[in-house]
Amino acid sequence: MDGVTSAVRGLTSAQVAEAKTNDVPRRSSRSLSAIIRANVLTLFNLVIGVLWVLILIFGEWQDSLFGLVIVANMLIGIVQELRAKRTLDKLAVVNEAPVIVRRDGEERQVPPRQVVLGDLILLGPGDRLLVDGEVVESDGLEVDESLLTGEADPVHKQPGDQVLSGSFAVAGTGSFVATKVGTDAYAVKLAEEASKFHLAHSELRAGVANFIKYITWLVIPIGALLIYSQLSNAVDLGTAITGAVAGIVTMIPEGLVLITSIAFAVGVVRLGRRKCLVQELPAIEGLARVDVLCLDKTGTLTAGGMDLDQVLPVTLDGSAADAALAALANLDGRPNATAQAIQVRHPAARDGWTARATVPFSSARKWSGADFGERGSWVLGAPDVLLRGGAAYDRAAELATSGTRVLALCRTDSLAATESGEAVVEPVALVTFKQRIRPDAHETLRYFAEQGVTVKVISGDNPVAVAAIATGLDIPGGDRAIDARTLPHDDPAKLGELLDTHTVFGRVTPRQKREFVAALQARGHTVAMTGDGVNDVLALKDADLGIAMGAGSPATKAVAQVVLLDDKFATLPHVVAEGRRVLANIERVANLFLTKTFYAIVLSLVVGVAGVMFPFAPRHSTLVNALTIGVPAFFLALAPTLERSKPGFVPRVLRFAVPAGVLCAVAVLVSFWAAHSGTSTLLQDQTSAVITLFLTTWWVLALIAKPLTWWRAGMVGAMAVVFAIGLTLPFVRDFFALEPGDIGNDLTAVGISILAALMISVAVKVAGTLRP
C-alpha cells in the first residue's frame, strides 16, 4: 500500500536530482559539427581542393581564385545554417508543451527534457507520451497507439498497463510512472531519425543530388581526357595543368548546393520571424506545391474557445438541466473547450452530483457522459448522434443553420447501451455555444482563392453549422455541405470524386480525415492539412504538409512539419509565399549553374577529342562565372515570387540548361578558333573567347531573370557594366590576363555572341522553359 501511495505522490526533489533525465535531440535542428561537415566535407570540395593545389604548384596564383570562392561559399553556408539553427532552436523551445508531473505530492509543469526516470506524469486528452511507463491511475483513459502500431482504434488503459512513447491520449485522464526515458524510450529507439533534424523526401534536393551524382561521373572521364590532351599538346606543364583545371572547375556546379542550402535556411529564418516553426526543411518545398488546403473549422476558421450561450429546455423536466450540465462540465480535471465554456457559468458541480462511472469525450463517439447514481445517467453530445429524430432533433438542426454550435443534453438508461447505440435516450435540453470567427479568416481565404489553392473545410461538427460559417466566409460551395456519415468507406475513387466537387464536410471522424487526405493525394493533389486537436493527428501525419496551430494539442504539434506558434491563421499566406519563393528561385539558380556545367562539358569534350588548347584560363572562368552566375544567383535565390511550383524540376532544368549550355560552348569555340586562325596573340584569342562566353551566359542570365522587374533589370545591367569596366581598367586586365586589343577579333566575338543569343532564345522557347 505504501508503494502505491508513494507512486501517486511522485518523486521527491532529492530523487529527481539523482534520476536520469529525458535528454533527446531536437527534431528541428542538427549539431554545429554536422553543419560544418555538411558544408566542408563534400566531394566537390575535395576535387576543387586538389585542383587548387595543382594550380598553386604549377600555375600562376591569379588562376587559383576559384579556391577562395569555395572557401567563401563554405563560410557563407555555415553561417546561414547556424542562423537557421538558432532560429529553430529558439522556436522549438517555445513549441515544446510542458509536461505535468507530480513531485513531492504537488502538480507542476516541467519542460520535456526535465522529465526524469520514475516521474509520475499526468495525462489528459491531446497529451503526447514522451517516455515509456506504467499506468498508475486511469479515469476512462484511452491512448491512441496508431503512430506506433498502425492500429487506429484507441486502447483503454488500466492501472498496471504499459504505455509507450510516441502514442497520445485521446480521452479520459490518468497518470503513469516513467520507466524508460531519453534514448531508451521506445519511440526514440524505433525511429531515432524522426525525433531530430532530418530531411524527408524532397524532389528538389533529390534532383540536385542526382545532378551532382551524374556530373561527378562525367567529370572523372572527361577530366582525364582533358588532362591527357592538354599534356600532349601544351608547350609546357604549367600551361597544360592550367588548361585542364579551367575545364574541370567550370564543369562543377559548386555553388548550386550552397545556394539551395542558403535558400532553405533563409526561408526558415524568415518564417521564424513570423513565429512559424519549420520542423523539417523540405516542408518549405511542400508549401510551394500545395494545391489543396484542408482546414478544420474549430481553431482555424474560428478562434480558440467558445462561449456558452443558451440552455433551451425541450421537456417539462428541464429544471435539472443546469445541475446536470454543471456536473458533466466539472468531471474532468483537464476540461476540453466545451467544458471550459460551461465552467464559466457553472464553476463547480452541485451537491449530490457525484459520478459513479464516466465516459470521457472523444472525437470518434462525439459525446461524453456520467452515471450520477440516483440522479440518473446523463450524456452531452452531438444531437444528430444522440437523437433519433423528433422535435428536439429538428430544433437543433434549425439552430445549426445560423452557424451556432448545438449540443444535446439527455438522460439515458445506460451509458454502455448509449455507446453501443441501443439505449433509450431522452432529450432534456439543447445547449448552444457562440463561436468566434477569426477576424483574419476572410482575407486569408481570399488569398488562397487568388493563388489557385482549393480550400476544403473538414469538421467534426454538424454539417449545417459548418456550412453556415463557410457561407459567411464566402468559401465557394460552402452552402453544399456533406454529412461525412453518408460518404462511401469502401470506394476511394468515389470518395475522391466527391472531395473534388464539394468543399464543406461535417461530422467527419478522425479516421475519415485520413481517408480524405489519401483520396485527394490519389487524385494527384498536394495536400496541406491544418489542425489543432488530437483528432487531427493522423491526418496531419499523412498529409504532404501538416500545419499545427500553436495552441493545439502537444500530439498535434509533434507530428506537424510546420507549427504556427502565434496561432494566427493569417500567417498561412506568408508561409505559402515563402515556400513558393524558395522553390521557384532555386529552379532559376539551377538553370544558371547547370548551363555553366553543360557548356564546360561540351568544351572539355571537344578540346579533349580534338587535342587543342583550352580556350580560356581558370581566372577567366572565375571572372565570368562571378558576374553571370555567382553574384546574380544570391539575388535571384532570395527574391520574392508568387509562382506555384509544379512537379518535374529535373526535366525542366535540363530542357533549359542543355540547349543553352551547348550553344554557349559552340559560340566560345567558334570565336576562339576564328581568332586563333589569324595573327593575334594567344592572350588576344583567349580574350575573344572570354567576351563571347560572358555575352552568351549574360544573355542566359537575362532570360532566367524574367520577368525583368526594375531590380532584376538593374542587376543584369550592372553585371554588363562591371564586365565592360573590367575590360577598360589596365590593372583589372592585367590581373585577369585580358587583352582586348584586336578590334577584328573582338567584333567577331560580339557578332557570334548575338547570333548565339538569338539561337538560345529560340531553343529554350521551343523547349517550353522560358518563363513568361
Side-chain angles (χ1 to χ4, degrees):
M1 186 69 180
D2 290 341
V4 175
T5 303
S6 175
V8 173
R9 284 182 55 82
L11 298 178
T12 64
S13 298
Q15 290 172 320
V16 170
E18 298 176 357
K20 178 181 178 180
T21 59
N22 183 45
D23 189 17
V24 293
R26 284 198 174 94
R27 170 187 177 190
S28 59
S29 184
R30 56 177 171 174
S31 65
L32 172 61
S33 59
I35 290 174
I36 293 174
R37 284 197 305 272
N39 283 276
V40 176
L41 303 180
T42 68
L43 177 61
F44 281 172
N45 283 353
L46 175 63
V47 172
I48 290 177
V50 171
L51 297 176
W52 192 17
V53 171
L54 288 175
I55 286 292
L56 290 175
I57 295 173
F58 297 104
E60 298 182 20
W61 70 270
Q62 293 94 329
D63 285 318
S64 68
L65 287 178
F66 64 86
L68 297 178
V69 173
I70 295 304
V71 173
N73 283 352
M74 288 190 296
L75 292 175
I76 292 170
I78 291 170
V79 169
Q80 288 290 355
E81 286 207 48
L82 284 176
R83 284 185 65 206
K85 171 183 168 59
R86 283 197 300 270
T87 300
L88 286 172
D89 285 348
K90 289 177 182 176
L91 294 177
V93 171
V94 175
N95 184 52
E96 286 178 344
V99 179
I100 301 177
V101 299
R102 190 178 295 148
R103 294 175 179 172
D104 296 315
E106 298 180 354
E107 293 183 10
R108 62 187 70 178
Q109 292 186 345
V110 299
R113 289 165 178 260
Q114 292 182 17
V115 173
V116 300
L117 189 67
D119 251 332
L120 181 67
I121 301 171
L122 309 186
L123 288 177
D127 285 347
R128 179 190 178 208
L129 280 73
L130 300 174
V131 297
D132 300 350
E134 180 179 321
V135 176
V136 174
E137 301 169 301
S138 174
D139 183 7
L141 180 64
E142 298 178 21
V143 174
D144 190 315
E145 298 177 342
S146 57
L147 297 181
L148 302 175
T149 65
E151 176 56 50
D153 294 328
V155 180
H156 293 267
K157 294 293 184 179
Q158 301 296 334
D161 290 348
Q162 297 295 312
V163 288
L164 298 175
S165 55
S167 54
F168 52 94
V170 293
T173 57
S175 64
F176 70 99
V177 172
T179 57
K180 291 183 180 179
V181 300
T183 54
D184 293 332
Y186 179 76
V188 179
K189 278 187 169 182
L190 184 67
E192 187 174 359
E193 290 303 312
S195 299
K196 63 182 182 181
F197 176 93
H198 71 285
L199 295 175
H201 174 72
S202 157
E203 183 190 353
L204 178 66
R205 284 187 175 270
V208 171
N210 283 333
F211 284 139
I212 290 172
K213 180 175 67 175
Y214 297 134
I215 289 166
T216 301
W217 287 111
L218 286 172
V219 163
I220 294 172
I222 295 174
L225 174 64
L226 187 59
I227 291 171
Y228 173 77
S229 71
Q230 296 301 288
L231 289 173
S232 300
N233 295 280
V235 177
D236 57 76
L237 181 61
T239 303
I241 294 294
T242 299
V245 169
I248 297 172
V249 167
T250 310
M251 273 190 281
I252 298 174
E254 70 284 347
L256 180 56
V257 177
L258 169 76
I259 294 294
T260 302
S261 298
I262 287 177
F264 274 122
V266 171
V268 166
V269 173
R270 283 180 170 175
L271 291 175
R273 290 176 185 151
R274 296 187 178 276
K275 304 297 181 186
C276 175
L277 170 61
V278 179
Q279 302 200 100
E280 295 178 12
L281 288 187
I284 291 181
E285 179 179 347
L287 297 172
R289 301 193 190 283
V290 165
D291 63 343
V292 174
L293 175 63
C294 297
L295 302 173
D296 186 0
K297 173 185 69 66
T298 306
T300 306
L301 298 180
T302 59
M306 61 190 78
D307 300 317
L308 177 60
D309 186 17
Q310 301 180 80
V311 179
L312 306 172
V314 295
T315 68
L316 295 177
D317 188 23
S319 58
D322 284 344
L325 201 60
L328 289 170
N330 288 279
L331 283 173
D332 197 336
R334 304 280 295 278
N336 59 23
T338 303
Q340 288 174 13
I342 298 172
Q343 284 177 352
V344 172
R345 191 176 300 179
H346 302 288
R350 299 181 185 178
D351 293 340
W353 287 80
T354 303
R356 296 179 178 177
T358 62
V359 176
F361 176 83
S362 76
S363 299
R365 68 172 67 93
K366 301 192 183 302
W367 59 268
S368 62
D371 178 358
F372 296 104
E374 62 184 28
R375 297 187 182 274
S377 295
W378 294 74
V379 292
L380 178 68
D384 46 339
V385 173
L386 293 174
L387 306 181
R388 303 284 194 278
Y393 179 92
D394 294 338
R395 176 62 174 150
E398 181 183 347
L399 290 167
T401 58
S402 64
T404 301
R405 186 160 189 246
V406 185
L407 296 181
L409 177 65
C410 309
R411 289 181 188 271
T412 178
D413 57 353
S414 166
L415 291 178
T418 303
E419 193 151 16
S420 64
E422 300 172 354
V424 176
V425 177
E426 175 194 356
V428 175
L430 296 177
V431 186
T432 64
F433 298 83
K434 291 180 180 177
Q435 299 181 100
R436 299 183 289 273
I437 301 295
R438 287 183 181 270
D440 51 12
H442 200 282
E443 184 178 345
T444 303
L445 291 169
R446 184 168 62 245
Y447 166 84
F448 285 119
E450 292 170 352
Q451 296 302 313
V453 178
T454 303
V455 171
K456 306 290 183 185
V457 182
I458 300 173
S459 175
D461 284 353
N462 187 308
V464 179
V466 181
I469 290 176
T471 303
L473 290 171
D474 296 328
I475 296 177
D479 57 331
R480 296 185 297 114
I482 288 185
D483 189 325
R485 292 170 295 187
T486 66
L487 292 174
H489 296 282
D490 53 357
D491 189 349
K494 180 64 175 177
L495 178 61
E497 184 180 334
L498 289 169
L499 286 167
D500 258 352
T501 55
H502 291 77
T503 304
V504 178
F505 303 85
R507 291 291 176 238
V508 184
T509 65
R511 184 178 296 184
Q512 281 182 308
K513 288 187 178 185
R514 297 186 76 182
E515 293 172 354
F516 283 17
V517 169
L520 287 167
Q521 290 170 330
R523 293 179 73 85
H525 295 295
T526 301
V527 182
M529 178 84 188
T530 69
D532 63 347
V534 67
N535 58 315
D536 300 318
V537 169
L538 302 180
L540 287 176
K541 187 74 175 175
D542 291 348
D544 297 290
L545 182 68
I547 304 172
M549 308 304 277
S553 72
T556 305
K557 293 188 288 184
V559 301
Q561 292 105 325
V562 174
V563 182
L564 305 181
L565 294 174
D566 59 1
D567 228 29
K568 290 183 178 177
F569 184 45
T571 303
L572 276 180
H574 300 288
V575 171
V576 172
E578 188 63 31
R580 293 184 175 184
R581 182 194 65 77
V582 169
L583 222 62
N585 290 339
I586 288 177
E587 186 168 323
R588 292 177 188 273
V589 169
N591 283 329
L592 275 178
F593 279 101
L594 292 172
T595 295
K596 173 179 80 93
T597 293
F598 283 111
Y599 79 63
I601 288 173
V602 173
L603 284 174
S604 299
L605 275 173
V606 173
V607 168
V609 172
V612 296
M613 184 176 296
F614 203 81
F616 50 80
R619 71 184 80 175
H620 297 143
S621 64
T622 299
L623 173 64
V624 172
N625 292 342
L627 295 179
T628 61
I629 298 173
V631 174
F634 276 100
F635 288 99
L636 291 176
L638 305 178
T641 181
L642 292 177
E643 301 172 57
R644 189 173 82 207
S645 179
K646 303 179 183 66
F649 165 73
V650 172
R652 280 197 306 276
V653 170
L654 290 177
R655 286 197 298 269
F656 184 100
V658 171
V662 169
L663 289 170
C664 286
V666 170
V668 169
L669 288 170
V670 171
S671 181
F672 179 71
W673 288 338
H676 202 53
S677 62
T679 58
S680 53
T681 65
L682 174 61
L683 206 55
Q684 289 173 332
D685 298 343
Q686 288 182 326
T687 300
S688 295
V690 171
I691 290 172
T692 302
L693 179 63
F694 173 80
L695 291 175
T696 51
T697 53
W698 177 81
W699 183 249
V700 169
L701 169 64
L703 294 178
I704 289 172
K706 285 186 175 183
L708 290 175
T709 58
W710 66 269
W711 72 265
R712 286 178 179 168
M715 177 196 68
V716 173
M719 297 301 102
V721 170
V722 170
F723 182 75
I725 292 173
L727 288 177
T728 59
L729 295 178
F731 70 90
V732 176
R733 291 203 306 264
D734 292 342
F735 185 87
F736 285 103
L738 296 171
E739 190 179 323
D742 192 309
I743 301 298
N745 285 351
D746 296 345
L747 289 177
T748 300
V750 172
I752 291 171
S753 300
I754 292 173
L755 179 60
L758 292 173
M759 295 175 68
I760 290 171
S761 298
V762 172
V764 296
K765 195 164 188 176
V766 168
T769 58
L770 186 60
R771 295 179 186 275

